[in-house]
Amino acid sequence: MNTENSNEDLNDIFKSSNLGDKIWLFFSKYSRILVSIAIVVGLILLLTLIIITGRSICKRSMKAAYWQAVQSENKECFAQKYVSNPLGGSIYLELGDKAYKEKEYEKAAKYYHLARIGLGKSIFGGRAAIGESISQMHAGFIQEGEEGLKKIMEESYPSHVIVYAMYLWAINLMSKGERRHVREWLNKIMNGDFIQPMKEQAQKLFCQI
């Protein structure tokens, strides 16, 4: 009862006060709520600042580690530490290409697989996925390589990656003598919404069958 009378008195005073008094009365009446809001906002701003600062420190640390790895020619150690980062993925992609050129196909497949972790479903991640599949096939793991190509065609990679996987799949079928299925896949490329160079390549192969 006393609280209600007190609130009514404050409201009456608020109505008859000038601007300065109204501001003071407002803060007096809602001081606890305003302090609570100020504390919450302050905590949010502090947390945001900590996150931004932490990310900035991590980026600087990663860049420093990368240049140190480049200078010491020890990129693989850097890639192991930052395997889930695109920079780590790009190093594994480079290592995969090097191993493939040297015909170390099992090692290449391993590097390409690790590259996919950091590069995701980007065009470079797709190139790593294709590299892994082809390396597996060269290493004698035909079924694993074929399954890899099928997965690429089913997943959300850029169309450049998907059409190249389709073309490699057609070549793989051709090596098995499955000409009818080869024509089906080449037709999909030629009639699909893909880049012109791949359509022309498919047309050339189609004419050779």
Side-chain angles (χ1 to χ4, degrees):
M1 191 70 180
N2 290 335
T3 306
E4 290 178 4
N5 290 334
S6 178
N7 285 337
E8 286 176 7
D9 291 342
L10 274 172
N11 289 333
D12 290 337
I13 295 168
F14 188 82
K15 289 174 184 176
S16 60
S17 301
N18 60 36
L19 180 61
D21 291 336
K22 283 180 178 179
I23 292 171
W24 183 85
L25 286 167
F26 177 83
F27 278 101
S28 296
K29 189 176 180 180
Y30 299 105
S31 60
R32 288 185 180 179
I33 296 171
L34 291 169
V35 168
S36 298
I37 292 170
I39 290 170
V40 170
V41 171
L43 286 172
I44 291 170
L45 290 173
L46 180 62
L47 184 61
T48 303
L49 182 63
I50 290 169
I51 291 169
I52 292 170
T53 304
R55 285 179 178 174
S56 178
I57 291 169
C58 285
K59 282 182 181 179
R60 285 200 298 270
S61 175
M62 184 177 68
K63 285 178 182 177
Y66 175 75
W67 288 116
Q68 186 179 358
V70 169
Q71 290 168 2
S72 64
E73 296 184 356
N74 196 11
K75 291 183 182 179
E76 190 170 353
C77 283
F78 173 88
Q80 286 173 356
K81 187 175 180 181
Y82 296 99
V83 65
S84 60
N85 187 279
L87 195 53
S90 66
I91 289 175
Y92 273 127
L93 184 63
E94 181 186 332
L95 292 170
D97 289 343
K98 184 173 180 288
Y100 188 89
K101 284 178 185 176
E102 293 171 355
K103 298 184 178 180
E104 296 180 4
Y105 297 119
E106 285 190 51
K107 186 187 283 190
K110 180 189 113 180
Y111 284 141
Y112 285 133
H113 177 77
L114 292 168
R116 289 199 292 119
I117 297 170
L119 298 171
K121 292 294 189 292
S122 67
I123 192 164
F124 297 106
R127 193 167 84 74
I130 287 173
E132 182 183 2
S133 296
I134 298 304
S135 296
Q136 285 173 329
M137 292 170 81
H138 278 305
F141 304 105
I142 307 298
Q143 187 176 348
E144 289 85 346
E146 289 179 342
E147 288 299 322
L149 284 178
K150 286 179 187 176
K151 281 185 73 174
I152 293 166
M153 292 185 281
E154 292 166 0
E155 293 183 359
S156 56
Y157 285 106
S159 62
H160 290 41
V161 174
I162 291 170
V163 71
Y164 191 52
M166 290 169 70
Y167 183 75
L168 291 173
W169 181 251
I171 291 175
N172 178 56
L173 291 173
M174 192 170 173
S175 69
K176 296 179 177 182
E178 299 180 22
R179 291 177 176 269
R180 183 173 64 83
H181 290 115
V182 173
R183 292 191 187 94
E184 288 175 5
W185 281 98
L186 293 176
N187 271 319
K188 285 180 183 180
I189 295 171
M190 290 185 290
N191 297 318
D193 186 19
F194 299 117
I195 55 173
Q196 193 59 34
M198 286 307 304
K199 288 188 173 189
E200 291 171 4
Q201 197 70 24
Q203 179 69 47
K204 286 179 185 177
L205 186 59
F206 191 89
C207 293
Q208 290 173 14
I209 299 174

